[in-house]
Each structure stands twice: as C-alpha cells, then as structure tokens.
Amino acid sequence: MKFLLSGQFYNIGDLTEEMNKAFLLLHASYFGNHYYDLAEFKTSALAFFDGHQNNYDAHDIFFNNFTILWKQLLNQSRFSEAEDLWNFSINIAREWENVNADHFIHKGTPYYFWGMTTILKGDLDNGFSLMHQALEEDVRTSGQDFPDTPGRAF
C-alpha cells in the first residue's frame, strides 16, 4: 500500500482496513508531529492478531510495516527510540500471546531489527542475544532446525 506524507511516498504491506489505517495514523503522527494514542494502535493490532492466528506471513508484514519509522530513527541516530519501537511492537504480540496461550505470533522480524539496532548502537551483547531470539522464533515457526532467514544468516 502506497501513501504520501510530507511530500514523500512510502510503501507498507497491505493488511486489514483497520490495521492499515492504524499504521497510516502511526506514520502520520511521527512524520507530521501529530498526536496519536498508541493505545488505539495496540487495540487495532490485538484485533488484527485475533483474525490472523498462526498466519506467520501476515505477522511478518505487520512487523515490517514498522521499518519505515525504524529507518528514519536510525538515520537520525536515535537508537534508543528505534529500540523502543521494536519493544513496543513485541510487547503487543506478547500481550496477545498471553491471552491466547495456544497460539503464537512470529516475532523473528522485530527481534532481528531490534538486534541490528543494538549492534549499530554498539551494544554487541544485547544485539547478539536479540539475534538469537530472532533465530529461535524462526526455528519455532518454520519447524526447521536451520531456516533460511536473516537471523540464521547473521
């Protein structure tokens, strides 16, 4: 899905209408300095996960939609805020998993990007730990001991 903000085009993965709107509002709040209640985003995300149980491709699209903001934060050397972004996204997934104990959200993508962030910041120990968590997620959701994923490549 392509959208225009502040004279620049961006692409995010197409999800549900409600989730697309939530991501647009999230991006608009960041790029346009408008207030957006993150509790509203979380409510939309939890509803999205309800409708996409065990759909790991949809989970990857969801988490990849944060990368526009992540790249912008990295370009501005705002590493702590970039880490907070991934922590926020993972906490939503964990909250959903706590209520839906028999189902998992694939969190390899946010762990990978969070790990990259901490490594770029110079925190190698935490970065490697997060990369390991990304790989554990990839192994769990793929059912393969050696999945062909960025976490394993790292």
Side-chain angles (χ1 to χ4, degrees):
M1 181 171 100
K2 188 179 268 192
F3 64 97
L4 176 67
L5 277 176
S6 302
Q8 187 165 350
F9 282 100
Y10 299 94
N11 286 308
I12 60 171
D14 193 24
L15 299 167
T16 63
E17 185 176 334
E18 179 183 357
M19 200 68 251
N20 290 344
K21 180 180 175 187
F23 269 109
L24 289 174
L25 290 170
L26 179 69
H27 286 79
S29 71
Y30 174 79
F31 289 111
N33 289 325
H34 300 289
Y35 175 77
Y36 176 54
D37 186 355
L38 292 178
E40 290 179 35
F41 182 90
K42 185 171 102 173
T43 299
S44 296
L46 293 172
F48 171 77
F49 289 138
D50 282 340
H52 293 83
Q53 295 179 6
N54 302 322
N55 184 341
Y56 303 135
D57 291 334
H59 302 166
D60 280 340
I61 293 169
F62 172 86
F63 291 116
N64 277 320
N65 283 347
F66 286 97
T67 60
I68 293 169
L69 296 176
W70 173 71
K71 288 176 188 176
Q72 192 74 16
L73 292 168
L74 288 185
N75 288 337
Q76 298 170 355
S77 297
R78 294 164 61 184
F79 298 110
S80 293
E81 290 173 73
E83 286 186 272
D84 290 344
L85 180 68
W86 295 118
N87 189 37
F88 170 71
S89 71
I90 289 172
N91 282 337
I92 293 170
R94 286 182 183 150
E95 182 176 326
W96 186 90
E97 288 174 333
N98 287 338
V99 175
N100 299 277
D102 295 337
H103 300 282
F104 295 98
I105 303 298
H106 175 62
K107 300 177 294 297
T109 300
Y111 279 125
Y112 176 82
F113 286 119
W114 190 359
M116 290 302 299
T117 304
T118 59
I119 289 168
L120 290 169
K121 188 172 97 173
D123 185 355
L124 298 180
D125 290 338
N126 193 31
F128 277 90
S129 175
L130 289 162
M131 286 297 191
H132 185 73
Q133 287 179 276
L135 180 58
E136 284 182 16
E137 286 284 322
D138 295 339
V139 167
R140 180 180 54 79
T141 56
S142 73
Q144 301 172 13
D145 289 335
F146 302 102
D148 185 21
T149 62
R152 179 171 173 262
F154 179 83

